[in-house]
């Protein structure tokens, strides 16, 4: 066991330093120590393609891909070349840069339903910008978001709906109501309960489940009948489901939509886009309505980030990226499902989602979702050189990487099967991981993921 800890000695030391100066030790909850088992890399040093190396020099095939932000692969050469070229001319100026127009035109050419676009830095800014526009346009206060989709924004209008709502006034919490995905009656009920008060409905087009019985189009119709805006969160689906986003895949035209994640292959670019009728309220040309203070960010149009976005979008347009991630995702899902069957775990370890954006479910002996078994599977795959908080493939996940991953998961599932018989506690080192959204930290959270420093 000491040797296993020694494998992450530098990560352990760095964790202790990080948690003294950064709340939680990092800047994204999904990357936190509490999301991983004790025996896990704490910090990544570098990445190339579908591989990453941690600060201790351990190499992994990676399937988180920057929480789905890296669609092509880490340090993708064509994207880096575009970034380097842009940086030589400066990154931020007093007036807009020409590349802002170039990037907007490139984006709108890929997303034909959109008529105007404004770039920003993260998904929360884009979705919150959409909510502000909808409220301004409709003159209404309430927002309806899908309760089955885990994250829309760090801002109060969404976080107030979660159990981590400390610091958010009750009056703000009451301004967001929720409905269920693929449950059109729950949408109808909201509008019936709040007539003339809902400004917008926001949801992801799909996640692990596909929209059934015309759900998206029916939600849009209800919005139009009731004077509310229909908003799609395309942070994940954009540039994975289809080069034109899920809206192109499902042939639906939202009033507003929000893109990010894979838009710039890991560089910080997100986008609020939509119909001119709504987007123009953030501009200078209208006189019929009040001005909307919309996405004014000093760093929102840094030239190197927009250069990364243009290069990324051009690759998506000219190369079979979408086809590749679907193909590799299918190979990965098939291989893992076969391995689960071999170990008698088909009812306990399940691959879910679209092939282009897979994740997995870990169940205990009672077929209930289990953080302990999830942690065990992570621990055993990490031990064998695969880092898979999800099963998200990139353009650089080749057949060799998929085959190696399937072999690693197969070996890890052998341990999982043993743990089903003699208890997960006999195989998992330390505490299990936790859910991000919880009201209080657990007693062991102060030490979560802190590996002892060893000489």
């Amino acid at each position: 066991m000491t040797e296993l800890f020694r494998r992450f000695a530098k990560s352990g030391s760095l964790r202790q330093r990080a948690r003294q100066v950064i709340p939680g030790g990092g800047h994204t909850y999904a990357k936190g120590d509490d999301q991983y088992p004790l025996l896990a890399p704490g910090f990544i040093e570098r990445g190339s393609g579908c591989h990453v190396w941690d600060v201790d020099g351990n190499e992994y095939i990676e399937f988180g891909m920057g929480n789905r932000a890296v669609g092509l692969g880490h340090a993708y050469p064509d994207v880096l070349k575009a970034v380097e070229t842009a940086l030589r001319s400066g990154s931020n100026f007093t007036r807009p840069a020409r590349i802002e127009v170039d990037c907007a035109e490139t984006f709108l050419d890929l997303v034909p339903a959109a008529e105007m676009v404004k770039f920003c830095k993260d998904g929360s800014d884009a979705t919150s910008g959409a909510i502000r526009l909808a409220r301004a346009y409709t003159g209404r206060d309430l927002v309806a978001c899908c309760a089955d989709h885990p994250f829309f924004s760090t801002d109060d209008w969404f976080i107030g709906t979660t159990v981590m709502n400390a610091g958010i006034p009750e009056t703000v919490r009451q301004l967001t109501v929720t409905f269920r995905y693929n449950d059109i009656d729950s949408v109808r009920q909201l509008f019936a309960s709040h007539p003339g008060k809902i400004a917008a409905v926001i949801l992801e087009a799909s996640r692990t489940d596909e929209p059934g019985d015309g759900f998206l189009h029916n939600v849009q119709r209800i919005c139009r009948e009731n004077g509310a805006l229909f908003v799609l969160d395309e942070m994940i689906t954009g540039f994975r489901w289809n080069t034109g986003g899920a809206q192109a895949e499902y042939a639906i035209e939202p009033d507003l939509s929000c893109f990010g994640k894979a838009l710039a292959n890991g560089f910080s670019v997100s986008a609020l886009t939509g119909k001119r009728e709504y987007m123009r309220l953030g501009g200078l040309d209208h006189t019929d309505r009040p001005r909307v203070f919309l996405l004014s960010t000093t760093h929102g149009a840094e030239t190197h980030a927009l250069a990364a976005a243009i290069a990324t979008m051009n690759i998506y347009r000219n190369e079979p990226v979408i086809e590749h991630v679907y193909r590799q995702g299918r190979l990965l899902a098939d291989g893992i499902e076969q391995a689960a069957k071999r170990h008698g775990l088909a009812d306990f370890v399940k691959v879910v989602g679209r092939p282009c954006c897979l994740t997995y479910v870990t169940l205990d002996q009672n077929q209930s979702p289990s953080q302990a078994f999830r942690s065990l599977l992570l621990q055993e795959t990490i031990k064998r050189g695969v880092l898979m908080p999800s099963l998200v493939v990139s353009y650089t996940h080749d057949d060799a990487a998929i085959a190696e991953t399937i072999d690693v998961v197969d070996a890890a599932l052998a341990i999982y099967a043993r743990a089903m018989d003699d208890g997960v506690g006999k195989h998992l080192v330390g505490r299990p991981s936790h859910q991000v959204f919880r009201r209080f930290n657990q007693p062991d959270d102060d030490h979560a993921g802190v590996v002892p420093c060893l000489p």
Side-chain angles (χ1 to χ4, degrees):
M1 189 60 65
T2 300
E3 186 58 37
L4 289 175
F5 279 123
R6 194 182 303 278
R7 183 182 179 190
F8 303 112
K10 290 183 179 178
S11 273
S13 177
L14 196 54
R15 276 191 183 102
Q16 295 182 49
R17 290 167 51 197
R19 293 181 70 150
Q20 291 299 312
V21 295
I22 303 169
H27 291 86
T28 304
Y29 279 107
K31 299 180 183 181
D33 284 336
D34 60 346
Q35 300 302 291
Y36 289 85
L38 197 63
L39 293 179
F43 296 85
I44 302 299
E45 189 72 47
R46 64 186 179 92
S48 178
C50 66
H51 294 257
V52 295
W53 289 260
D54 67 18
V55 293
D56 289 279
N58 303 304
E59 180 181 354
Y60 308 91
I61 301 171
E62 198 226 324
F63 288 91
M65 302 313 293
N67 294 341
R68 301 178 178 85
V70 180
L72 300 176
H74 299 295
Y76 200 79
D78 288 350
V79 176
L80 290 186
K81 182 178 178 180
V83 169
E84 291 165 356
T85 299
L87 278 174
R88 293 191 188 99
S89 297
S91 64
N92 211 330
F93 311 110
T94 303
R95 298 298 307 278
R98 175 178 177 172
I99 198 170
E100 297 179 40
V101 180
D102 294 338
C103 192
E105 290 176 342
T106 302
F107 179 89
L108 294 174
D109 186 53
L110 275 184
V111 187
E115 296 171 344
M116 300 186 83
V117 62
K118 195 156 189 181
F119 297 113
C120 44
K121 281 301 181 189
D122 60 41
S124 295
D125 286 345
T127 54
S128 292
I131 297 307
R132 181 178 294 173
L133 269 184
R135 283 171 165 163
Y137 184 85
T138 62
R140 302 171 179 179
D141 293 336
L142 293 187
V143 175
C145 69
C146 183
D148 298 303
H149 296 161
F151 189 77
F152 288 103
S153 176
T154 62
D155 293 313
D156 289 1
W157 68 267
F158 170 70
I159 296 299
T161 69
T162 76
V163 296
M164 283 182 68
N165 55 21
I168 300 173
E170 179 64 26
T171 53
V172 175
R173 299 183 204 172
Q174 297 303 317
L175 294 178
T176 303
V177 293
T178 62
F179 62 93
R180 307 311 298 254
Y181 189 72
N182 271 338
D183 183 352
I184 198 64
D185 287 338
S186 70
V187 179
R188 291 194 187 99
Q189 182 59 46
L190 281 185
F191 281 96
S193 300
H194 307 283
K197 294 182 179 180
I198 296 176
V201 170
I202 184 170
L203 73 163
E204 296 182 67
S206 65
R207 200 167 179 91
T208 56
D209 296 325
E210 290 293 301
D213 299 323
F215 177 70
L216 295 178
H217 293 80
N218 286 327
V219 173
Q220 182 183 56
R221 176 180 53 77
I222 292 171
C223 286
R224 288 176 175 170
E225 291 173 351
N226 289 274
L229 270 60
F230 177 67
V231 183
L232 282 184
D233 179 342
E234 293 243 37
M235 292 299 155
I236 293 173
T237 57
F239 303 109
R240 276 199 176 273
W241 268 233
N242 187 296
T243 53
Q247 56 195 268
E249 184 74 4
Y250 300 124
I252 191 166
E253 294 189 2
D255 298 313
L256 299 169
S257 55
C258 307
F259 286 74
K261 296 290 188 183
L263 175 56
N265 198 52
F267 284 87
S268 183
V269 180
S270 57
L272 169 60
T273 189
K275 301 298 183 183
R276 188 178 307 276
E277 179 180 359
Y278 314 114
M279 295 291 293
R280 70 185 182 94
L281 300 186
L284 301 173
D285 300 328
H286 69 286
T287 57
D288 57 324
R289 288 175 177 268
R291 285 159 53 82
V292 176
F293 193 87
L294 181 65
L295 297 178
S296 182
T297 57
T298 298
H299 303 291
E302 289 176 309
T303 60
H304 63 280
L306 296 187
I310 292 173
T312 300
M313 288 187 283
N314 284 335
I315 293 166
Y316 273 84
R317 177 192 287 117
N318 299 322
E319 299 184 30
V321 180
I322 299 295
E323 294 86 348
H324 180 86
V325 295
Y326 272 93
R327 176 184 179 275
Q328 301 308 89
R330 291 188 189 97
L331 288 175
L332 183 62
D334 289 345
I336 292 176
E337 288 169 354
Q338 291 171 18
K341 289 179 181 178
R342 283 195 296 273
H343 293 284
L345 295 171
D347 293 330
F348 303 95
V349 178
K350 301 180 180 182
V351 179
V352 298
R354 277 203 163 208
C356 61
C357 191
L358 296 168
T359 187
Y360 55 90
V361 176
T362 53
L363 307 178
D364 63 16
Q365 296 90 336
N366 299 316
Q367 294 192 349
S368 297
S370 170
Q371 288 295 116
F373 274 101
R374 172 180 168 81
S375 300
L376 178 63
L377 185 57
L378 275 168
Q379 171 185 287
E380 295 303 313
T381 50
I382 286 169
K383 187 186 300 184
R384 293 163 175 81
V386 171
L387 184 59
M388 46 175 270
S390 59
L391 293 170
V392 176
V393 298
S394 74
Y395 195 32
T396 48
H397 281 87
D398 58 16
D399 289 352
I402 298 298
E404 182 176 346
T405 300
I406 292 169
D407 288 343
V408 163
V409 173
D410 183 75
L413 289 178
I415 307 300
Y416 196 116
R418 288 168 54 189
M420 294 286 280
D421 293 332
D422 54 21
V424 66
K426 292 187 177 181
H427 300 274
L428 176 63
V429 177
R431 84 293 177 271
S433 60
H434 299 295
Q435 297 284 347
V436 167
F437 288 116
R438 59 188 190 277
R439 187 155 181 80
F440 294 98
N441 287 324
Q442 303 301 315
D444 65 351
D445 279 0
D446 285 343
H447 306 287
V450 178
V451 179
C453 294
L454 297 169

